[in-house]
Amino acid sequence: MKIDILSVVPALLESPFSHSILKRAKEKGLFEVNVINLRDFSTSKQKQVDDYQFGGGAGMVMMCQPLADAIDTLQQDQKYDEIIYMTPDGATFNQKIANRLSLKENLLIICGHYKGIDERIRQHYVTMEISIGDYVLSGGELAAAVVVDSIGRLIPGVLSNETSALFDSFQDNLLAPPVYTRPADFKGWKVPDVLLAGDPKKVDEWRTNQSIERTKERRPDLLED
């Protein structure tokens, strides 16, 4: 899979993709992430990418020209399955969207800034809009990093144990069950006997029941879906 990211501040994305799972995935050739500086496509001497909004009002808007030129240039060499704009008013990101995007080959993510991007770019280029929650960040880079990390770990071969992602929270609309590791008795706090008995069927049943109960208690809205 290949993901290109258009950013005004590429340095914000250097760390998230240079460590841990995503770093290993890139080294294995399973996953490619390219962060592209939008200012490289500005035609002004000052590398300007924003301007005042028509009609007045506080806040700047990301201009059409740099974005359109960047997307047009990238599309000469790459056909994108989705052109995604990170924006607070997009669809709320969840595990189902992550699962669907992990099956794609090529994605382009646009990181918004200021008051957002010119509406004409949204109308004529963007195919998908994503929000990571009902709050506003100073830019779309951190939100893009969240989306990329969530997608990347689902790609076959990225995780050491490929079945691990299948039992994450929100798969099948359930929260993950409690997990334990050694020692079996810590300060008198003991691991449930069923996990120590060595019966895989009973362990599976216990985990399923725990997932259901935890979801009922903490996120009953998931069960409504």
Side-chain angles (χ1 to χ4, degrees):
M1 168 179 261
K2 178 183 177 185
I3 300 180
D4 291 332
I5 303 175
L6 276 174
S7 168
V8 177
V9 193
L12 285 174
L13 292 169
E14 290 177 0
S15 179
F17 308 137
S18 301
H19 302 278
S20 191
I21 291 173
L22 292 186
K23 178 184 178 183
R24 293 196 299 270
K26 290 194 294 181
E27 291 173 346
K28 292 179 181 178
L30 300 172
F31 196 54
E32 181 180 348
V33 181
N34 301 307
V35 182
I36 299 139
N37 193 336
L38 182 62
R39 295 187 188 278
D40 291 342
F41 296 90
S42 174
T43 56
S44 73
K45 292 182 179 180
Q46 297 78 21
K47 297 299 180 181
Q48 181 180 353
V49 295
D50 62 303
D51 207 341
Y52 296 103
Q53 54 183 312
F54 282 120
M60 307 292 276
V61 177
M62 293 176 70
M63 302 159 61
C64 282
Q65 176 272 312
L67 284 165
D69 285 357
I71 297 170
D72 288 342
T73 299
L74 292 169
Q75 285 184 321
Q76 291 177 9
D77 300 318
Q78 185 68 68
K79 178 176 174 57
Y80 293 106
D81 298 304
E82 299 283 0
I83 297 178
I84 301 168
Y85 171 43
M86 303 305 305
T87 173
D89 58 353
T92 302
F93 189 63
N94 57 28
Q95 192 62 46
K96 289 181 180 179
I97 295 176
N99 291 345
R100 179 157 58 89
L101 291 177
S102 72
L103 300 176
K104 305 296 185 180
E105 292 292 330
N106 300 291
L107 301 174
L108 174 62
I109 299 179
I110 301 171
C111 300
H113 267 267
Y114 317 114
K115 296 296 288 184
I117 65 176
D118 191 293
E119 185 67 19
R120 290 165 291 186
I121 298 297
R122 299 174 77 164
Q123 292 174 345
H124 297 284
Y125 287 96
V126 173
T127 63
M128 187 175 190
E129 300 186 346
I130 291 178
S131 165
I132 62 167
D134 294 338
Y135 47 86
V136 179
L137 299 172
S138 58
E141 283 79 9
L142 298 181
V146 168
V147 171
V148 172
D149 185 279
S150 181
I151 295 170
R153 65 192 309 279
L154 296 172
I155 297 172
V158 171
L159 295 181
S160 299
N161 183 345
E162 292 188 14
T163 63
S164 176
L166 299 177
F167 299 98
D168 287 339
S169 290
F170 306 112
Q171 296 286 11
D172 298 326
N173 273 18
L174 293 175
L175 299 182
V179 293
Y180 301 85
T181 189
R182 292 179 292 182
D185 187 334
F186 179 69
K187 293 186 177 182
W189 307 328
K190 297 181 179 180
V191 172
D193 291 338
V194 65
L195 298 179
L196 305 175
D199 188 331
K201 183 177 180 180
K202 290 184 178 180
V203 169
D204 287 343
E205 290 175 353
W206 180 86
R207 285 174 172 164
T208 298
N209 290 333
Q210 289 292 315
S211 286
I212 293 171
E213 290 305 312
R214 179 164 283 193
T215 306
K216 284 181 180 179
E217 177 186 346
R218 302 183 182 188
R219 289 293 304 276
D221 56 298
L222 294 174
L223 295 176
E224 295 174 2
D225 293 337

